Amino acid sequence: MRKKTKMAWSVALSAAMAAGLLAGCGSNGGTESTSGSTAASSAKTESSASDTTDTSDRPTYKIATVRWTDTWPTDFLKEGVMKEIEDKMNINIDWQVYYNSDWSEQKSLLLASGDLPDAFLGSICLTQADMAQNKSAFLDLTDLIEKDMPNLKAAFEADPELKAVCTSRDGRIYSLPKKLPLRPKVCGDVMCINQEWLDNLGLETPKTYKELEEVLVKFATEDADGDGDPTNEIGITNAASSGLLSGDLRHILSPFGTMVSRDGNYMGLNGEGKPVFMPMEENYKEAVKWMRQLWEEGVVDPEYFTQDGSMQTAKQQADGGSQVGLIFGWTADAQVGPNVNQFKTLEAVEGYDGNHYVEAATNYLDISDRELMISKDCKDPDTLLKWADEFYTDLASLQTFYGSVGSQITDNGDGTYNVDVPSDGSSLDTSAWSNSLRDFGPKYMNEDFYDKVSLPEDQATVSNWPMMQSMRNTLILRKTVDSRWFSIPTKTFPESRQSEPISINM
């Protein structure tokens, strides 16, 4: 790989930091997103061709939702549990499906037009800033929840944080929340290393960050893929975005304890458990020095700071084998697609201070608001909220997270359920995204229901906490020796507390 000068590295890193920090200052807690799918430029309406039931006399609600990629099917929206709830409430849902790659532009046009659907489903649709700037376009749901949503009210009582996350500064509720079920206690992205390249070069799996560096240098400077050309391999790659720096702090730089909140504010916890602005910390500075060293050693993709997501994906999912040695994500198959069998999950390496650092962003990733927003154009919000309340049951939440009973889940007839091994050979995570709302939409499962659900053995850990690893015959736990690094909870404070001073020790 080509080496760059120290000046080039300094300019590139400074530009990335400036863009990232400016974006962080303007963040309003919106959903972190990626792009790169070849998405349709407009919404498409989902309908079920196989359903011959006459539902023409039912009221119809238009609901907009956003999918990460158009490679995942959307048939499930009109089948299984989704159709069951629709039929139970005697309504029709006209799904307006958008894709994340062009949603930003489509969203701006939609909000500016004033011609809104009856509702938006999924926190991927609208950020907190969108809601604040268009507050008059959405209904206050506070009193309607009290009247129409007994399941959600019960969830509020069982888990007060669920209500807190969706309560606005004025004490009112303008969107419905969710809490993802059956989640790992330590959750976040993991490193996955190219095992095929390790084998080709006769290298052992790295256990420390220094060993990782040595492996990455060999990946980038030797013929790791065995094609006879030692210059076409990439150690690590990325895509230019406002979140590039914060992502690196949780990914490649994590051995330096630089875990930051996913809220885009570059806040983390120091060794004493106190909140800090990470770029001011000494371990951050050491991490930047190490990243610069990786650049000078040819490990970092020369297009790391300039390419878009589609270029990154093309390298990771290249025909004939991935061009990249180390990747980061919830699962490997989500990043490298057909090249997934080249990779294995890399256990958290020993960091600069002897600790193993992993992300524990459960409060950010598992609980959120903005899972259903109802516009003021909706003629009968009561019925729509009664429909949404059906999602706040244990069984419905299981099905909207993994897929419907009868296709992705087996009902054992005794009150217990098995989540089935995907029949298409994909990971459980990919299958769930293809057959359910997965991370989006209203849902809440009582924890005593967890023991009634069994996951495939190679995709679950003790106590049925899933570790969504894509290497289907290998389970490597996300381990932590030092568990102090937890994301700072994101909370919305009432107006009465907005003027209180906040002190952060730098």
Side-chain angles (χ1 to χ4, degrees):
M1 297 300 291
R2 298 184 299 277
K3 294 183 180 179
K4 299 295 181 181
T5 65
K6 293 183 179 180
M7 178 64 74
W9 166 251
S10 298
V11 171
L13 182 61
S14 298
M17 287 181 62
L21 293 177
L22 286 174
C25 291
S27 172
N28 286 278
T31 304
E32 185 177 350
S33 65
T34 60
S35 62
S37 66
T38 55
S41 61
S42 60
K44 75 174 182 179
T45 301
E46 292 299 324
S47 61
S48 177
S50 61
D51 185 9
T52 59
T53 303
D54 182 9
T55 61
S56 59
D57 60 336
R58 295 180 178 179
T60 297
Y61 295 86
K62 291 185 178 181
I63 300 181
T65 192
V66 178
R67 300 282 282 168
W68 283 121
T69 172
D70 61 353
T71 61
W72 293 333
T74 56
D75 300 344
F76 73 89
L77 289 171
K78 301 298 292 183
E79 299 172 348
V81 67
M82 302 298 289
K83 186 177 186 302
E84 290 171 9
I85 295 176
E86 198 172 316
D87 290 343
K88 179 178 180 179
M89 301 311 299
N90 197 35
I91 63 174
N92 294 324
I93 302 297
D94 179 7
W95 291 102
Q96 307 294 310
V97 180
Y98 295 83
Y99 296 101
N100 191 58
S101 61
D102 65 344
W103 171 237
S104 180
E105 178 182 356
Q106 293 293 328
K107 176 176 65 174
S108 297
L109 295 173
L110 191 59
L111 291 174
S113 72
D115 184 17
L116 301 180
D118 293 297
F120 292 85
L121 185 141
S123 53
I124 190 176
C125 293
L126 302 175
T127 66
Q128 291 179 349
D130 293 329
M131 293 293 291
Q133 294 165 8
N134 298 275
K135 191 173 181 179
S136 62
F138 297 96
L139 290 178
D140 179 350
L141 307 179
T142 313
D143 296 334
L144 295 175
I145 290 173
E146 186 67 27
K147 181 175 59 171
D148 299 323
M149 305 191 73
N151 292 330
L152 178 57
K153 287 170 57 182
F156 282 166
E157 293 179 6
D159 194 338
E161 188 173 1
L162 194 66
K163 184 174 183 179
V165 77
C166 65
T167 301
S168 185
R169 294 173 179 175
D170 60 6
R172 312 296 290 177
I173 298 175
Y174 297 91
S175 69
L176 300 186
K178 64 110 186 284
K179 182 175 183 180
L180 299 179
L182 298 166
R183 296 281 278 182
K185 294 179 180 178
V186 175
C187 90
D189 295 336
V190 293
M191 296 185 190
C192 296
I193 197 165
N194 196 319
Q195 180 64 47
E196 186 175 294
W197 289 8
L198 286 174
D199 294 340
N200 288 345
L201 297 177
L203 301 175
E204 297 294 328
T205 300
K207 300 294 185 183
T208 70
Y209 85 101
K210 277 296 187 182
E211 291 178 2
L212 177 62
E213 178 184 348
E214 293 170 1
V215 166
L216 290 176
V217 170
K218 290 183 180 295
F219 278 177
T221 59
E222 300 183 13
D223 186 21
D225 62 5
D227 68 349
D229 183 356
T231 67
N232 61 358
E233 291 88 354
I234 300 169
I236 57 174
T237 191
N238 212 328
S241 72
S242 61
L244 186 149
L245 177 58
S246 63
D248 280 350
L249 293 174
R250 296 191 303 271
H251 294 159
I252 186 62
L253 301 180
S254 60
F256 289 84
T258 55
M259 296 296 183
V260 292
S261 169
R262 288 184 174 237
D263 208 31
N265 54 20
Y266 296 92
M267 298 297 293
L269 303 178
N270 66 12
E272 299 175 354
K274 295 180 179 179
V276 295
F277 182 62
M278 190 57 67
M280 297 291 291
E281 297 299 293
E282 289 302 317
N283 56 314
Y284 170 88
K285 298 171 186 177
E286 292 301 314
V288 171
K289 291 178 184 178
W290 187 62
M291 187 70 168
R292 172 175 166 172
Q293 184 172 328
L294 295 180
W295 175 272
E296 293 175 344
E297 292 171 331
V299 169
V300 181
D301 186 351
E303 297 179 306
Y304 197 93
F305 298 101
T306 58
Q307 67 186 354
D308 62 20
S310 63
M311 295 171 66
Q312 177 190 5
T313 299
K315 294 173 181 178
Q316 294 180 163
Q317 300 186 8
D319 292 340
S322 179
Q323 298 175 347
V324 183
L326 187 70
I327 61 171
F328 310 89
W330 188 251
T331 63
D333 62 332
Q335 301 298 316
V336 298
N339 298 321
V340 63
N341 290 327
Q342 286 183 259
F343 289 82
K344 73 172 182 180
T345 305
L346 183 63
E347 196 170 327
V349 297
E350 180 180 303
Y352 79 113
D353 58 356
N355 288 320
H356 299 72
Y357 291 93
V358 294
E359 185 179 13
T362 53
N363 62 289
Y364 188 92
L365 296 174
D366 295 356
I367 302 177
S368 70
D369 61 341
R370 293 167 289 113
E371 296 301 339
L372 187 74
M373 294 74 64
I374 299 181
S375 74
K376 289 193 173 178
D377 294 334
C378 181
K379 296 180 179 179
D380 185 6
D382 290 274
T383 298
L384 195 55
L385 284 178
K386 291 176 182 177
W387 167 81
D389 196 51
E390 294 295 318
F391 289 80
Y392 289 105
T393 66
D394 294 334
L395 186 54
S397 295
L398 176 64
Q399 294 179 88
T400 59
F401 194 58
Y402 283 113
S404 295
V405 170
S407 60
Q408 311 302 316
I409 297 172
T410 297
D411 183 345
N412 296 320
D414 59 359
T416 65
Y417 301 86
N418 293 341
V419 177
D420 301 328
V421 174
S423 59
D424 60 0
S426 66
S427 72
L428 189 56
D429 188 55
T430 297
S431 174
W433 277 110
S434 299
N435 293 285
S436 74
L437 295 172
R438 193 48 169 171
D439 286 6
F440 302 124
K443 54 176 62 72
Y444 178 81
M445 182 186 293
N446 290 286
E447 291 192 11
D448 58 6
F449 192 76
Y450 289 9
D451 292 334
K452 300 178 182 179
V453 180
S454 296
L455 301 173
E457 289 184 2
D458 60 344
Q459 306 206 41
T461 68
V462 293
S463 300
N464 278 343
W465 287 95
M467 291 295 181
M468 299 297 134
Q469 306 300 340
S470 57
M471 306 307 293
R472 285 179 291 279
N473 296 320
T474 304
L475 176 66
I476 300 179
L477 302 182
R478 304 171 188 213
K479 81 169 186 179
T480 176
V481 173
D482 186 338
S483 61
R484 69 192 182 207
W485 294 101
F486 285 80
S487 295
I488 299 173
T490 302
K491 295 186 180 298
T492 302
F493 294 100
E495 293 288 353
S496 60
R497 295 193 60 190
Q498 293 305 298
S499 60
E500 292 181 12
I502 298 176
S503 175
I504 298 178
N505 296 323
M506 294 294 189

